[in-house]
Amino acid sequence: MESSNSQNLSVVVGQFFPQEAITEIISFGNGHINDTYRVSFLYDPKYYILQRINTNVFKNPVGIVENHIKLQQQLADKNETRVIPELYPTQNGSFLFVDGAQNVWRMISFIEESYSIDLVEHEWQALEAGKAYGWFAQVCATLNASDFVEAIKDFHRLSFRLRQLNEAIAANKAGRLASIQDIVDFYKSRESKLRVIESLVDAGEIPMHVVHNDTKINNLLFKDDKAIAVIDLDTVGPGILFYDYGDAIRTSTNLANEDEQDLSKVGFNLKAFEAFTNGYLSQVKTIVTEKEKHHFYLAPVLLTYIMGIRFLADFLNGDVYYKIAFPEHNLVRSKVQMRFIECMEIQQDKMIQVIQKELM
Ligand code: ADP
Ligand code: GN1
Ligand code: MG
C-alpha cells in the first residue's frame, strides 16, 4: 500500500476512530525509520499521531507494543512531571492494525503544543534534555529488563555493528568503497580501544536496565522552555544505561546537525555537555553502580562511533536502512560522526572532569 495515498490512510485511521470525520492527514516529523502522520478530525480540537511501523527494521511489532504497554502501566496513576505517548486501540481492541499489504499501523496520542529540535542552540535545551532522559531512566529503574523484549537484537553491540560494516565492505554492493577508503580507515583506527566496554558488559560487570536505546535529541518533545515528553519508544528494552547517555550526548552537544555537509561546522559544545550531564546525572546518580560511574565518559565516543559505522555500512549497501534525502546522505552523516569523535577526543579530560563532578 502506498503510504502517501490519503484514501488508504483514511481507511487505516477508520480502524482506530470509526466514528470520526477526518479533516487532515499530513506527513510529520524528521524520523529516519517509521512513517509518521498527524491526523485531525472535525469537532475534535486534538491531533493524533498515526505511524506505519517499519517492519524491515522492527520484525516484532507485537513485542514493541507489549513493551510500550508495560511502560504505560509503569506511569499510570503517577503524577509525573513528563509524559510518553499513549497507544489507542483499534475497534477490535488491538493496538496494531495490519492492512491487506501487511503494513503495520499504530495510533498514539499527540503531545499537544510541543515541538522537537534537531540541534541544541541554547544551554537550557541541553539541561532540559538531560533532565528528561534522566527522568525516563528513573521511571524505568524499577522495571525488570528481562520482562522486556529486545526490539532489535544486538542493537548497540559494537562487535555486531563492526561485523555488519565488514560485510558491507566485502560485498561493496553499491560500488562505493573506493571513494570512501579514508573514512573506513578512520573507523578502523579507533576500533580496538572501543571494544573494552563490550568485554565488561559480557563479563556481567555492567548491569542491564530497561533503557530507551534511541536517545537522540529529536526523540524528546519540548513545550515552551521544558522538555515534557520522551517519544519514539520502539527500542525501549534491555540495555546499558550509559549508552543512552552517550547517544544523547552525540546529538545534544554537536554544534552541527547530524547531516551537516560543511564539516568545519562540526564541533563539541562543552557548555551543552555540562548542562546535559548535569541534568541527566542529577536524576540517575542514585541508580548507577561504582563500575558504571567509571565508564560514562567512554559512552559518547562509543555511541557516536556505532552510529558512524552504521551510516557508513548503509551507504556501502546502497541506502537500504535509513531514510535519505539525497544520494550521499548516509556518507555525510558518517563523516559528521567521524569529525565529532575527533572533537570529543580532544576534550576527553574535560569530559571526565565534568562527569566526575556530578558522580563522584
Ligand atoms: P522515527 O522512529 O521514524 O524516528 P518517531 O516516533 O521519532 O519516529 O517520530 C518522528 C517524529 O514525529 C518525531 O521526531 C516528532 O517530531 C514527531 N512525533 C512523533 N510522535 C509524536 C507525538 N506523540 N506527538 C507529537 N509529535 C510526535
Ligand atoms: C534512527 O528512529 P530515529 O530516527 O529516531 C535509529 C537510531 C539512530 C538514528 C540516527 C531503530 O533513529 O538508532 O541513532 O536513526 N533508530 C533505529 O539518527 O535504527
Ligand atoms: Mg525518532
Side-chain angles (χ1 to χ4, degrees):
M1 168 166 158
E2 312 81 341
S3 61
S4 54
N5 181 317
S6 58
Q7 209 185 345
N8 289 337
L9 286 172
S10 304
V11 172
V12 175
V13 172
Q15 299 296 316
F16 294 89
F17 296 107
Q19 314 292 345
E20 304 293 335
I22 299 164
T23 49
E24 189 185 54
I25 305 176
I26 55 162
S27 269
F28 202 72
N30 283 338
H32 294 344
I33 305 292
N34 297 313
D35 292 337
T36 302
Y37 301 91
R38 194 189 70 184
V39 180
S40 44
F41 301 113
L42 200 63
Y43 309 125
D44 182 350
K46 294 208 305 254
Y47 292 116
Y48 298 82
I49 290 283
L50 173 71
Q51 287 186 311
R52 180 168 70 147
I53 299 176
N54 182 334
T55 47
N56 289 327
V57 169
F58 297 111
K59 314 270 186 220
N60 178 9
V62 172
I64 287 177
V65 161
E66 284 169 1
N67 286 346
H68 192 152
I69 290 168
K70 286 187 184 129
L71 262 185
Q72 282 183 194
Q73 285 164 346
Q74 177 76 349
L75 286 164
D77 307 324
K78 297 202 183 93
N79 203 9
E80 291 288 349
T81 48
R82 296 176 181 84
V83 295
I84 60 169
E86 299 269 316
L87 288 160
Y88 288 103
T90 65
Q91 50 192 328
N92 301 327
S94 158
F95 288 107
L96 291 173
F97 169 63
V98 184
D99 68 24
Q102 299 304 305
N103 292 298
V104 180
W105 301 87
R106 75 171 155 227
M107 186 77 76
I108 54 175
S109 56
F110 181 80
I111 309 297
E112 298 291 334
E113 294 167 38
S114 66
Y115 61 96
S116 59
I117 59 173
D118 292 311
L119 193 67
V120 162
E121 284 169 308
H122 309 283
E123 238 173 278
W124 67 263
Q125 295 169 321
L127 177 65
E128 275 299 309
K131 284 187 193 166
Y133 277 132
W135 165 82
F136 188 83
Q138 269 290 353
V139 163
C140 294
T142 52
L143 292 167
N144 196 341
S146 60
D147 291 340
F148 279 68
V149 172
E150 198 179 356
I152 300 173
K153 193 169 161 4
D154 296 333
F155 192 53
H156 287 328
R157 192 168 174 81
L158 177 63
S159 55
F160 169 63
R161 296 306 184 182
L162 283 165
R163 189 161 67 245
Q164 286 186 320
L165 175 64
N166 288 332
E167 283 166 8
I169 291 171
N172 192 17
K173 275 194 201 129
R176 291 165 158 175
L177 180 62
S179 62
I180 58 155
Q181 194 55 53
D182 52 334
I183 319 287
V184 172
D185 292 345
F186 169 85
Y187 283 110
K188 292 274 170 192
S189 71
R190 303 302 197 271
E191 186 181 317
S192 59
K193 90 172 196 217
L194 291 172
R195 284 186 183 269
V196 179
I197 298 189
E198 194 168 307
S199 331
L200 290 170
V201 171
D202 287 350
E205 295 193 37
I206 306 289
M208 279 292 173
H209 292 273
V210 173
V211 299
H212 187 285
N213 280 321
D214 190 359
T215 47
K216 69 179 182 186
I217 189 86
N218 72 12
N219 287 330
L220 288 176
L221 294 178
F222 288 77
K223 183 175 184 177
D224 303 326
D225 56 0
K226 294 261 167 288
I228 54 147
V230 175
I231 64 165
D232 202 348
L233 307 171
D234 296 325
T235 50
V236 169
I240 308 296
L241 191 72
F242 55 57
Y243 288 3
D244 271 8
Y245 170 74
D247 202 12
I249 293 297
R250 179 180 76 83
T251 50
S252 308
T253 69
N254 192 339
L255 291 167
N257 273 305
E258 184 182 75
D259 58 356
E260 174 57 58
Q261 309 213 25
D262 177 356
L263 286 186
S264 71
K265 292 190 179 158
V266 174
F268 179 66
N269 182 342
L270 184 61
K271 287 277 171 221
F273 177 77
E274 284 173 344
F276 185 96
T277 302
N278 173 284
Y280 187 80
L281 295 184
S282 62
Q283 306 258 5
V284 306
K285 65 174 155 207
T286 53
I287 56 176
V288 299
T289 61
E290 278 307 308
K291 196 79 178 189
E292 282 176 296
K293 283 183 185 172
H294 294 285
H295 294 92
F296 261 80
Y297 80 96
L298 289 170
V301 170
L302 175 67
L303 271 288
T304 306
Y305 183 94
I306 287 175
M307 298 316 150
I309 62 175
R310 286 176 62 195
F311 291 138
L312 196 60
D314 200 32
F315 181 71
L316 289 169
N317 288 335
D319 311 308
V320 291
Y321 187 91
Y322 294 108
K323 288 184 183 173
I324 54 162
F326 55 93
E328 308 253 289
H329 208 158
N330 273 315
L331 179 60
V332 168
R333 290 166 175 154
S334 186
K335 284 184 182 171
V336 169
Q337 308 314 301
M338 174 181 83
R339 178 54 54 85
F340 193 54
I341 288 170
E342 290 173 331
C343 296
M344 285 191 286
E345 284 172 348
I346 297 167
Q347 302 281 352
Q348 180 174 298
D349 291 345
K350 288 208 181 96
M351 290 168 78
I352 292 174
Q353 275 171 23
V354 171
I355 292 168
Q356 279 185 343
K357 200 170 112 219
E358 296 298 327
L359 275 184
M360 308 291 181

